[in-house]
Amino acid sequence: MIEFKQIDQQKQISLEVFQQQQWIAARDLIKGLAHEIKNPLGGLRGAAQLLNKELDEEQQEYTEMIIEQADRLTNLVDRLLGPNQLPQIESHNIHSVLEKVCQVVNFSHEQTIELKRDYDPSIPAIKCDQEKIQQAVLNIVNNAIQAISANNKITLKTRIASNKTINGKQVKLAVKISIIDDGPGIPVEIQDTLFYPMVSGRTNGTGLGLSISQTLINQR
């Protein structure tokens, strides 16, 4: 007797678990490096401030540049360290959260981006941290905006998903938020590592937006 069993789901679960473990390892490595960088940066900035008081106005231009660049790098390091606040879980309408994202995007981007809604009105209120969900979705939408051309569209879609495995745990019912754009798509070579820190498909990208989104979602 020969028995056939479909193993696509098991393979997908194994792949997701492996990718999650790799992402955690990459995130922890980056955070460790960021901590090591931040301390000397503070000393460098403090020394430049003290030196700035001893120089004449013409020479202060150089120390002011050091302070400015130290502040820029400190901001980058803070983003690498990611959010450290515990989630504030409350009951929210997910569509109200997404509408706040749409409002921010419309106010902050000059280029004409069409935001389409494809909401499932039957989705009940869910327990989540609305600020973290909003920031995670906003990061992904901004990432999509940078990849598409003016007058292109981004669709926010919500659906109920059943019997899903999330981070190795079986979930009977979940809300699935899809962010769909009509841009060129994700380069094949970074699809498996897209949410890792410092991975970006753009030459001037920092690769932090999606990594922070992943961190926010995993805090749930």
Side-chain angles (χ1 to χ4, degrees):
M1 183 178 68
I2 300 176
E3 181 180 355
F4 293 93
K5 185 177 181 181
Q6 190 169 350
I7 61 171
D8 292 356
Q9 185 177 4
Q10 287 86 343
K11 290 175 65 178
Q12 181 64 28
I13 292 172
S14 298
L15 177 61
E16 289 177 356
V17 170
F18 173 76
Q19 289 178 338
Q20 179 72 8
Q21 292 171 342
Q22 293 293 99
W23 172 79
I24 291 172
R27 182 202 60 188
D28 290 345
L29 174 62
I30 292 293
K31 282 190 173 185
L33 290 172
H35 275 295
E36 293 299 319
I37 293 170
K38 191 169 185 177
N39 292 332
L41 272 178
L44 179 66
R45 190 186 192 283
Q49 284 180 310
L50 292 174
L51 182 61
N52 191 63
K53 297 177 181 179
E54 305 295 326
L55 302 177
D56 57 45
E57 188 173 338
E58 183 178 346
Q59 293 174 319
Q60 284 177 348
E61 176 185 354
Y62 302 109
T63 51
E64 287 171 357
M65 180 178 292
I66 294 173
I67 293 170
E68 179 184 336
Q69 293 303 311
D71 287 342
R72 185 183 67 83
L73 289 173
T74 299
N75 181 57
L76 177 63
V77 167
D78 286 339
R79 293 179 65 196
L80 282 170
L81 291 173
N84 55 10
Q85 295 179 339
L86 293 174
Q88 304 295 316
I89 304 299
E90 295 178 353
S91 183
H92 294 285
N93 183 317
I94 191 61
H95 300 131
S96 297
V97 177
L98 296 181
E99 283 304 302
K100 291 180 181 179
V101 173
C102 294
Q103 188 177 37
V104 171
V105 171
N106 287 330
F107 285 156
S108 59
H109 290 278
E110 295 181 358
Q111 66 187 99
T112 305
I113 299 294
E114 181 185 358
L115 283 173
K116 296 188 66 177
R117 284 84 157 172
D118 184 3
Y119 295 159
D120 180 352
S122 69
I123 296 176
I126 63 171
K127 291 188 176 297
C128 66
D129 185 321
Q130 67 163 345
E131 290 189 6
K132 293 185 184 299
I133 294 291
Q134 181 179 331
Q135 188 60 54
V137 174
L138 183 60
N139 284 357
I140 298 174
V141 170
N142 283 333
N143 196 73
I145 290 173
Q146 293 166 355
I148 65 179
S149 304
N151 301 314
N152 284 24
K153 66 182 179 182
I154 296 174
T155 302
L156 299 181
K157 178 180 177 181
T158 60
R159 293 291 185 271
I160 292 178
S162 59
N163 297 321
K164 293 294 181 180
T165 301
I166 302 175
N167 294 340
K169 296 180 180 179
Q170 188 74 18
V171 178
K172 290 184 177 180
L173 289 175
V175 174
K176 180 179 180 181
I177 303 172
S178 300
I179 302 163
I180 307 163
D181 66 64
D182 52 1
I186 301 167
V188 176
E189 62 271 16
I190 66 169
Q191 286 182 4
D192 291 338
T193 57
L194 185 63
F195 288 90
Y196 289 10
M198 311 305 288
V199 174
S200 176
R202 295 180 291 113
T203 54
N204 61 341
T206 62
L208 295 179
L210 295 182
S211 178
I212 290 172
S213 294
Q214 182 82 309
T215 300
L216 290 168
I217 295 300
N218 283 338
Q219 285 184 337
R220 59 190 184 283

